[in-house]
Amino acid sequence: GHITITNFFNKNDYQIEPQFNSLQRKISTLPRLNLRINGYDYFESTGGKTIYIKPIVGKFEQEWFNQISDHVKRSEIVPHITIAKGISDEQFDKLWPIFKDKECSDSFFVDYLTILKRNTYGPDNYYIIFKKLKFKNERLLAPFVYKNRKRRSAPRNSFWGIQTFLF
């Protein structure tokens, strides 16, 4: 499983790769995270419903995710581990009774931020691990907050994803 941190849709390699050294320095200032999960939940979006495993997010975990959001210049991360994404109401009505009262409790360490890459178009559009950035610090530092961030569109080419993998 994984928690998606951000996606860089349709960016060329030359637009993304120079950011990795800076991102590595920032990520290394964060500690690894002992993430605990407990139960299932769901949310609705325009693309359908999503069933997910719920991480327990206290103040420490929320600040950890906030700092990663700042480092990748994303406004917010809603931590969740997807089980079924974009399902119809009919599919949801069949699946949700299976998960809603089921027990799911565990914990594990998140040691790396994994950067994945895939071509947007063509037959080879599967993800490959491009780089793993290690969380190296012993404690969470005071946050630095980016302000007035703006998103820009870019030419279509590769799809980059930054995710924390839970295995």
Side-chain angles (χ1 to χ4, degrees), residues 38-43 49-54 83-84 87-102:
N38 189 18
Y40 299 89
D41 206 348
Y42 70 94
F43 60 83
K49 293 182 179 173
T50 297
I51 298 173
Y52 63 92
I53 298 173
K54 295 188 304 188
I83 299 293
I87 57 176
S88 68
D89 288 339
E90 182 181 328
Q91 292 168 318
F92 177 81
D93 291 341
K94 290 178 183 174
L95 288 173
W96 183 239
I98 297 168
F99 289 101
K100 76 175 190 174
D101 296 322
K102 194 173 195 124

